[in-house]
């Protein structure tokens, strides 16, 4: 019985709540314009800071009426302005509020409002648009539905400091690298830009964003300066075109990089220092500023290291570490400088202890926030450690010797946050480039176990880095190779070679290639069985040259040491010879052909396997052709095949020598023995000696 009563009870509570808000909505329909205006003003006062009231008014249909009044030309400017203010206030509530506003087509209505001559109304519309666009539920593309909108916003930048602040904020939130996002709001107008059209950065750049916003960096208003700076930080990110332009722009006789450097000074607000550092970082990564420029080495890098200190707020430490990781990611010298600046490697260890039981945070709200976001610190630390250890052996050693580092990485691999898992794998991958660490720390902590677990079930972005790490753990000197093999890695890697993701195919075949190097015959047979002939052919006809080269590398490693060569060719000889023929006849580069001829040279080194070459006239003619090729590498590789076929001490060598002489091979050898290339000359003379012996 209780269940039957429950629904009506809930209904009555809801109707009671909404009834108290009903009169606000009813007043919007009054015939007297003054009463409507007063009603909107009262509504504005009622919703400020009251999320429950906001939700009630949305449920009662206030939004369509407010939008109607806002768009009516008969409405007074004051009424239209107050409507925009209330709508902006509603947008400041929950994400659901924003969704409701979007469903009512609020953006086109507000954009239309920007055509008004009244500045106060324009500012109210922009403030509301700003609030909507900074919400994560708003698709950025809604700003780009009409090409005239951007140019009109650029024109409005000169109207007031408020238009400057709001427009810069809108631009920085609607500027994404990839402009096409799937959008769940089916009722919204679709952008005019097509999926392969220019991205947001290019659009804003083409409409003069740099020229129109640059002078705002010296505005008297801090908020305007800050929003302009943020705008440049997203415009320049991974964008060489914007970055190269920014370097040469000057405001009041001062170049933008110099203005950014001034904003890095310690007496400036942290938010400004960080954002200026991001601008300079993007410009440096895009090649617009050299990595050894003093503004990077002496200003940007030290500023970002300062942001990692435990005196800074959590979000500042996260942003500082992530920006620094990006700045130094590809530059060895910057990695070395960062590693010895302010004990950074030790400082980052604190990221894993936060907030500690003796935390200095007395603000309960701040503590609650930080506990919820502590994983972001771990993610940032892993990212920065990965960049620091990307190249230098000494830095990797320092990182690994930092307290409990390997345990932290192992724990990171199984965290619930996908971003932390990805960053931990990246860190592990960076450290796995060290021969020393593969032999010691990686073995001591059995890192391969959690890594194999990650590989069992993870999204592609994690799989790509995890499989790259596995490639390193499978190198012949790595003690982890044996246990990884025993844990079913072959099957896992063979399945990766079938992935639609190119990076996963490359890593799968690369890891198998490493696994096959100097391996036992059983492992080699297991690899061939796991791959299947069909898959091998698929990989050899892959459109990507990396996949092809790694597959040839795998074949070359499989076909090494005589007993193995003979065994594999006795079971898979026909298919392998077919594959070799296919590649030598195809349109491939020199490296691919050279690798293929090296595989033939390995086959020719077999005891019984060499007969598969000797009985295949087509292949013999191809070897002869490549002996006279214009490329010395291919000539040399073809000569290796011949040398292995005619070697005197082996059974049947006389018959093979005779057959090859009849084909004209000896004549080519005589010619090559006169070659100006010392390698070719020596190899030809050695081969001719086999005939004389």
């Amino acid at each position: 019985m209780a269940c039957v009563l429950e629904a009506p009870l809930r209904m009555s509570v809801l109707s009671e709540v909404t009834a108290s808000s009903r009169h606000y909505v009813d007043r919007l329909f009054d015939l007297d314009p003054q009463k409507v205006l007063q009603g909107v003003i009262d509504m504005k006062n009622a919703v400020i800071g009251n999320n429950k009231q906001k939700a009630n008014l949305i449920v009662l249909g206030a939004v369509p009426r407010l939008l109607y009044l806002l768009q009516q030309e008969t409405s007074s400017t004051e009424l239209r302005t107050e409507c925009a203010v209330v709508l902006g206030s509603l947008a400041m509530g929950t994400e659901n509020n924003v969704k409701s506003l979007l469903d009512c087509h609020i953006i086109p209505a507000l954009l239309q409002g920007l055509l008004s001559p009244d500045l106060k109304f324009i500012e109210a519309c922009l403030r509301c648009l700003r609030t909507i666009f900074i919400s994560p539920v708003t698709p950025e593309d809604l700003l780009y539905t009409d090409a005239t909108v951007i140019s009109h916003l650029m024109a409005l930048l000169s109207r007031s400091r408020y238009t400057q602040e709001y427009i810069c904020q809108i631009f920085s939130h609607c500027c994404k690298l990839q402009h096409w996002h799937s959008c769940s709001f089916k009722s919204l107008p679709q952008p005019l830009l097509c999926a392969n059209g220019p991205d947001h950065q290019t659009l804003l750049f083409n409409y003069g964003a740099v020229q129109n916003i640059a002078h705002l960096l010296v505005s008297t208003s801090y908020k305007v300066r800050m929003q302009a700076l943020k705008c440049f930080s997203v415009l320049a990110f991974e964008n060489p075109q914007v970055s190269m332009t920014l370097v040469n722009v000057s405001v009041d006789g001062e170049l933008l990089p110099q203005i950014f450097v001034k904003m890095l000074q310690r007496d400036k607000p942290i938010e400004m220092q960080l954002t200026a550092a991001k601008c300079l970082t993007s410009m440096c990564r895009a090649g617009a500023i050299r990595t050894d420029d003093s503004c990077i080495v002496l200003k940007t890098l030290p500023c970002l290291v300062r942001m990692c200190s435990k005196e800074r707020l959590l979000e500042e430490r996260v942003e500082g570490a992530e920006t620094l990781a990006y700045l130094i990611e590809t530059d060895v010298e910057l990695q070395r400088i960062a590693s010895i600046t302010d004990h950074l490697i030790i400082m980052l260890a604190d990221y894993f202890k936060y907030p500690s039981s003796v935390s200095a945070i007395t603000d309960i709200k701040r503590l609650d926030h930080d506990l919820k976001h502590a994983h972001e610190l771990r993610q940032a630390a892993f990212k920065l450690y990965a960049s620091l250890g990307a190249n230098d052996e000494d830095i990797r050693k320092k990182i690994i010797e930092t307290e409990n580092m390997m345990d932290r990485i192992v724990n990171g691999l199984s965290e619930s946050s996908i971003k932390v898992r990805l960053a931990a794998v990246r860190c592990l991958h960076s450290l796995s480039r060290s021969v020393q660490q593969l032999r010691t720390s990686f073995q001591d902590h059995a890192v391969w176990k959690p890594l194999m677990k990650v590989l069992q079930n993870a999204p592609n972005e994690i799989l790509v880095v995890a499989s790259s790490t596995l490639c390193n753990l499978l190198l012949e000197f790595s003690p982890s190779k044996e246990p990884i093999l025993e844990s079913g890695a072959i099957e896992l890697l063979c399945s990766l070679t079938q992935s639609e993701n190119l990076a996963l195919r490359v890593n799968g075949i690369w890891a198998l290639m490493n696994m096959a190097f100097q391996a036992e015959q059983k492992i080699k047979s297991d690899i061939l069985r796991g791959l299947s002939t069909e898959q091998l052919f698929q990989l050899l006809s892959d459109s990507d040259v990396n996949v092809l080269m790694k597959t040839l590398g795998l074949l070359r490693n499989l076909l090494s040491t005589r007993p193995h060569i003979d065994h594999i060719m006795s079971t898979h000889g026909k298919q392998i010879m077919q594959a070799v023929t296919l590649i030598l006849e195809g349109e491939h580069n020199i490296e691919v052909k050279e690798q293929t001829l090296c595989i033939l040279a390995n086959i020719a080194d077999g005891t019984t396997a060499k007969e598969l070459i000797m009985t295949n006239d087509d292949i013999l003619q191809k070897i002869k052709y490549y002996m006279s090729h214009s490329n010395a590498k291919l000539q040399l590789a073809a000569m290796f095949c011949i040398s292995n076929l005619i070697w005197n001490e082996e059974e049947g060598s006389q018959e093979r020598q005779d057959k090859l002489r009849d084909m004209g091979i000896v004549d080519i050898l005589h010619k090559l023995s006169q070659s100006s290339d010392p390698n070719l000359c020596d190899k030809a003379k050695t081969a001719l000696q086999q005939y004389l012996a």
Side-chain angles (χ1 to χ4, degrees):
M1 285 299 282
C3 291
V4 180
L5 289 170
E6 202 174 330
L9 270 173
R10 220 185 279 129
M11 286 286 287
S12 66
V13 171
L14 184 65
S15 57
E16 210 174 286
V17 171
T18 51
S20 66
S21 309
R22 166 76 60 191
H23 72 284
Y24 287 115
V25 180
D26 290 344
R27 289 165 70 189
L28 300 180
F29 292 88
D30 201 291
L31 295 174
D32 182 347
Q34 270 311 110
K35 288 185 177 172
V36 174
L37 174 61
Q38 194 52 51
V40 175
I41 292 168
D42 290 347
M43 186 184 280
K44 174 180 73 176
N45 296 329
V47 296
I48 291 171
N50 189 333
N51 275 350
K52 195 182 237 179
Q53 188 70 277
K54 289 174 187 178
N56 289 341
L57 291 170
I58 289 170
V59 167
L60 291 167
V63 176
R65 184 62 184 169
L66 287 166
L67 283 171
Y68 172 79
L69 294 169
L70 180 132
Q71 292 175 92
Q72 280 301 98
E73 286 184 16
T74 52
S75 298
S76 67
T77 305
E78 191 183 357
L79 174 59
R80 294 170 79 190
T81 306
E82 291 294 351
C83 285
V85 172
V86 175
L87 288 163
S89 192
L90 294 177
M92 281 182 175
T94 63
E95 287 181 4
N96 280 335
N97 289 9
V98 177
K99 284 180 185 173
S100 301
L101 293 170
L102 290 170
D103 287 340
C104 292
H105 304 297
I106 188 171
I107 289 177
L110 292 169
L111 291 174
Q112 193 64 33
L114 299 181
L115 299 173
S116 161
D118 187 88
L119 183 58
K120 285 276 172 268
F121 178 51
I122 289 172
E123 288 173 351
C125 287
L126 282 172
R127 195 182 304 115
C128 185
L129 279 166
R130 180 273 314 264
T131 307
I132 289 167
F133 275 119
I134 63 176
S135 167
V137 301
T138 308
E140 302 87 18
D141 288 317
L142 293 179
L143 186 67
Y144 305 93
T145 50
D146 180 342
T148 62
V149 169
I150 305 298
S151 56
H152 187 61
L153 287 171
M154 293 293 176
L156 289 174
L157 276 168
S158 60
R159 293 294 298 273
S160 75
R161 71 182 184 86
Y162 294 112
T163 64
Q164 291 167 350
E165 180 191 336
Y166 304 146
I167 291 169
C168 285
Q169 212 170 347
I170 289 167
F171 284 161
S172 50
H173 277 89
C174 294
C175 186
K176 294 286 180 281
L177 276 176
Q178 289 305 318
H179 109 216
W180 195 254
H181 298 284
S182 59
C183 142
S184 56
F185 302 101
K186 294 189 176 66
S187 60
L188 293 172
Q190 284 303 305
L192 297 179
L193 307 173
C194 59
N196 56 3
D199 58 29
H200 298 155
Q201 289 173 320
T202 308
L203 275 161
L204 293 172
F205 178 80
N206 290 344
Y207 275 102
V210 173
Q211 294 76 5
N212 282 296
I213 296 170
H215 71 279
L216 304 182
L217 290 168
V218 294
S219 163
T220 52
S221 159
Y222 171 75
K223 284 184 176 177
V224 172
R225 289 202 304 279
M226 201 53 236
Q227 291 308 329
L229 188 59
K230 282 183 178 174
C231 209
F232 280 133
S233 81
V234 293
L235 277 171
F237 182 65
E238 291 188 357
N239 193 312
Q241 184 187 29
V242 174
S243 295
M244 294 293 187
T245 306
L246 290 180
V247 169
N248 299 311
V249 171
S250 64
V251 179
D252 295 348
E254 201 167 20
L255 288 168
L256 285 197
Q258 294 169 322
I259 294 173
F260 293 149
V261 166
K262 281 185 176 175
M263 292 174 159
L264 290 176
Q265 290 169 357
R266 290 171 189 253
D267 61 341
K268 296 289 185 285
I270 294 298
E271 174 190 37
M272 182 171 273
Q273 290 184 48
L274 249 176
T275 315
K278 284 169 87 170
C279 290
L280 289 160
T281 294
S282 291
M283 290 162 76
C284 178
R285 283 300 304 266
I289 300 176
R290 288 167 54 109
T291 54
D292 60 357
D293 191 299
S294 63
C295 78
I296 297 298
V297 178
L298 302 178
K299 302 290 182 181
T300 309
L301 188 148
C303 169
L304 289 169
V305 173
R306 280 203 306 276
M307 296 303 147
C308 299
S309 114
K310 56 180 167 193
E311 279 73 54
R312 303 266 55 89
L313 292 174
L314 177 140
E315 45 271 41
E316 293 162 359
R317 294 171 79 187
V318 169
E319 208 170 341
E322 291 193 339
T323 308
L324 183 55
Y326 180 56
L327 174 66
I328 68 173
E329 189 179 15
T330 57
D331 192 90
V332 189
E333 198 46 42
L334 287 181
Q335 289 158 11
R336 288 186 183 135
I337 295 166
S339 72
I340 55 167
T341 304
D342 292 353
H343 307 289
L344 177 64
I345 291 174
I346 296 165
M347 199 195 298
L348 282 178
D350 287 333
Y351 277 45
F352 297 95
K353 308 170 190 170
Y354 186 86
S356 65
S357 52
V358 290
S359 179
I361 302 172
T362 48
D363 178 350
I364 295 299
K365 263 191 177 174
R366 169 48 71 176
L367 185 62
D368 183 52
H369 168 274
D370 285 4
L371 284 166
K372 284 178 185 155
H373 294 269
H375 67 277
E376 290 175 23
L377 274 174
R378 294 192 292 279
Q379 173 201 338
F382 283 138
K383 273 188 186 173
L384 185 43
Y385 276 137
S387 284
L388 283 163
N391 295 288
D392 190 287
E393 191 64 33
D394 291 337
I395 298 174
R396 289 188 198 120
K397 191 168 181 286
K398 279 184 196 165
I399 292 170
I400 285 175
E401 286 170 358
T402 306
E403 54 176 315
N404 307 325
M405 192 61 212
M406 292 308 285
D407 291 334
R408 283 175 179 147
I409 295 173
V410 168
N411 291 339
L413 293 175
S414 55
E415 279 212 31
S416 58
S417 160
I418 187 166
K419 287 183 175 177
V420 177
R421 288 209 305 279
L422 178 58
V425 173
R426 281 210 174 116
C427 183
L428 190 65
H429 178 240
S430 182
L431 300 174
S432 74
R433 293 182 180 133
S434 161
V435 175
Q436 180 62 31
Q437 300 312 329
L438 282 174
R439 285 182 170 150
T440 53
S441 307
F442 275 56
Q443 188 58 13
D444 297 343
H445 292 82
V447 167
W448 64 271
K449 283 183 185 172
L451 187 67
M452 286 296 287
K453 200 173 173 188
V454 166
L455 281 160
Q456 303 301 331
N457 182 24
N460 276 1
E461 57 179 342
I462 289 183
L463 275 180
V464 168
V465 191
S467 54
S468 282
T469 312
L470 194 65
C471 288
N472 292 344
L473 265 66
L474 286 167
L475 290 165
E476 83 278 10
F477 50 75
S478 166
S480 307
K481 187 172 179 177
E482 282 304 312
I484 290 171
L485 278 167
E486 287 160 18
S487 69
I490 292 176
E491 191 182 340
L492 173 84
L493 294 170
C494 288
S495 70
L496 286 185
T497 67
Q498 296 174 29
S499 171
E500 286 181 15
N501 182 298
L502 172 61
L504 287 178
R505 285 205 305 284
V506 170
N507 288 348
I509 202 75
W510 195 339
L512 288 169
M513 181 183 91
N514 288 351
M515 193 182 273
F517 184 74
Q518 296 182 351
E520 298 166 18
Q521 190 171 299
K522 182 188 177 304
I523 291 167
K524 292 181 178 181
S525 299
D526 287 348
I527 291 172
L528 274 170
R529 202 176 303 114
L531 262 186
S532 82
T533 313
E534 191 185 346
Q535 179 58 10
L536 198 58
F537 271 98
Q538 194 76 40
L539 291 164
L540 289 170
S541 55
D542 199 287
S543 59
D544 184 80
V545 72
N546 275 330
V547 174
L548 179 53
M549 283 296 282
K550 293 288 177 277
T551 309
L552 291 171
L554 168 65
L555 271 177
R556 199 171 162 183
N557 285 350
L558 290 170
L559 295 164
S560 62
T561 72
R562 279 186 186 165
H564 295 182
I565 295 167
D566 290 334
H567 175 76
I568 288 169
M569 292 308 287
S570 70
T571 54
H572 293 82
K574 189 182 169 192
Q575 295 92 332
I576 288 171
M577 294 304 283
Q578 258 181 310
V580 166
T581 308
L582 198 75
I583 289 167
L584 289 177
E585 286 176 353
E587 292 291 317
H588 295 291
N589 66 30
I590 299 294
E591 285 71 24
V592 168
K593 297 266 174 97
E594 182 191 14
Q595 189 79 296
T596 309
L597 287 167
C598 289
I599 289 168
L600 271 180
N602 283 15
I603 295 169
D605 193 38
T607 306
T608 55
K610 52 169 58 86
E611 284 311 306
L612 285 160
I613 296 176
M614 291 307 300
T615 55
N616 189 327
D617 288 345
D618 186 24
I619 285 285
L620 287 173
Q621 287 299 334
K622 284 182 171 55
I623 295 171
K624 180 184 174 183
Y625 164 76
Y626 283 108
M627 283 177 77
S628 305
H629 198 275
S630 59
N631 185 282
K633 282 184 176 179
L634 296 182
Q635 286 179 287
L636 204 56
M639 297 256 285
F640 273 109
C641 298
I642 295 298
S643 292
N644 285 346
L645 290 172
I646 62 174
W647 205 253
N648 255 329
E649 294 156 21
E650 289 164 15
E651 198 181 329
S653 62
Q654 191 59 55
E655 290 86 345
R656 289 192 293 277
Q657 285 182 9
D658 293 344
K659 181 171 181 175
L660 293 171
R661 180 188 279 113
D662 294 344
M663 281 178 63
I665 296 293
V666 175
D667 296 338
I668 299 172
L669 287 173
H670 277 297
K671 201 183 285 180
L672 289 170
S673 68
Q674 307 301 313
S675 169
S676 59
D677 184 310
N679 286 334
L680 279 176
C681 180
D682 290 351
K683 199 71 190 162
K685 285 176 180 173
T686 307
L688 283 169
Q689 280 168 5
Q690 297 303 310
Y691 275 94
L692 300 171

